[in-house]
Amino acid sequence: MFDLPAQRAHLSEKFDLTPSPELAASMSDIYDRMSRVVTPADWAIYAPYVKAINDLKAERNAVILGHNYMTPEIYHGISDFVGDSLQLAIKATEVEAEVIVQCGVHFMAETSKILSPKKTVLMPDMEAGCSLAESITAEGIAEMRRRYPGAPVVSYVNTTAEVKAASDICCTSSNAAQIVAAMDSDTVIMTPDQYLAQNVARDVPQKNVVWWEGSCIVHEQYTAQDLREFREWNPGTRLIAHPECPPDVVAEADFSGSTSGIIKYVTDEQPEKAMLITECSMASNIADALPQVDFVGPCNMCPYMKKITLEKVLYALDTMTGQVEVDPDVAEKARLSVQRMIDLSRKLGI
């Protein structure tokens, strides 16, 4: 559990974090990336943290990986690389930095450590978990294997190292259908996201897809009725859903795709109005790059992603606390599952 008063006392002794309009003005190049969604007053508060973090990165030979669901001041202000969980983990293997700061949730930091075992991986808040990743364990995988003997287990990358190690191959939301279709078995087990599995089952009817009944607390909240009502109130708005949403929600949307797929779709199509049926920060983080698109409508916020703050990132990088470790035997087996996915994706040309 974080001792926030102690953390703040430590930071105030080492850094000048007083809100500064002058400093904020001198960092206008960074602010321009988020000015549509961050007020000048808020930027004056964030700027001292952003400067301190960016200066400390150089001292520590560190890079910051920012997930698409991070808040704009993290996504645009301090992240060296941004993307979905797998994109970030692969990027961690390509950089020369000795230290990786994972701005996301815990399973992402584990995946970075699995793929880059010799690097130090820092998690700014160890309590930034994931309802989906925590919905299944290795025992759950064993249970599915007993129920469907001989069926391969395809597990979403949004899982713990332990679950990856117990699986045959991993998948992402963008390659799940192709990975499942390529399995040499009539029946394929998918874990842990029941809705991703159901959407894949629709797209790959030649396979008997069976699933674990896990779900994401953000995406499971949306309903098809929500979309129908919003479309009635806001005609002409493009509705764009993530495949972790229930199948009837995906069916009601104009487009469904992974996090990176959503960004590409909006960038290519540039609709006048768009509602993203996913986590709130997605729209905020692409708004300034696409000023001609009006991102409208309600969204659901991930409470785990929002545990990561500038304050916690600065503390982790300054004290080098929150180091993520994975048992070497578990890491090796998990690495095989991820590598099989990467290799098969390349073979399939995806």
Side-chain angles (χ1 to χ4, degrees), residues 187-254:
T187 298
V188 178
I189 299 166
M190 287 194 71
T191 77
D193 193 308
Q194 61 180 315
Y195 298 130
L196 177 62
Q198 290 167 31
N199 288 317
V200 167
R202 177 203 60 211
D203 294 338
V204 189
Q206 68 271 30
K207 298 292 185 182
N208 175 34
V209 179
V210 295
W211 54 82
W212 183 262
E213 294 189 358
S215 57
C216 166
I217 60 171
V218 170
H219 296 98
E220 71 178 351
Q221 295 180 56
Y222 294 104
T223 69
Q225 184 62 28
D226 291 338
L227 272 63
R228 285 190 289 269
E229 290 177 354
F230 190 86
R231 197 187 294 277
E232 182 179 343
W233 298 331
N234 297 269
T237 300
R238 207 77 62 88
L239 305 183
I240 305 163
H242 193 280
E244 289 177 23
C245 292
D248 59 344
V249 172
V250 170
E252 195 68 36
D254 296 297

Side-chain angles (χ1 to χ4, degrees), residues 96-158:
E96 297 297 325
E98 298 173 359
V99 178
I100 305 293
V101 183
Q102 194 82 34
C103 289
V105 291
H106 192 269
F107 79 80
M108 297 177 188
E110 276 193 336
T111 307
S112 290
K113 185 66 177 178
I114 288 166
L115 295 181
S116 302
K118 295 183 179 179
K119 294 177 181 175
T120 298
V121 177
L122 301 180
M123 187 69 201
D125 188 337
M126 287 290 191
E127 295 181 1
C130 171
S131 61
L132 183 56
E134 292 165 7
S135 72
I136 190 168
T137 63
E139 288 74 21
I141 299 288
E143 176 187 330
M144 293 297 284
R145 288 192 189 278
R146 286 192 294 271
R147 290 168 59 186
Y148 303 98
V153 176
V154 179
S155 286
Y156 201 15
V157 291
N158 296 27

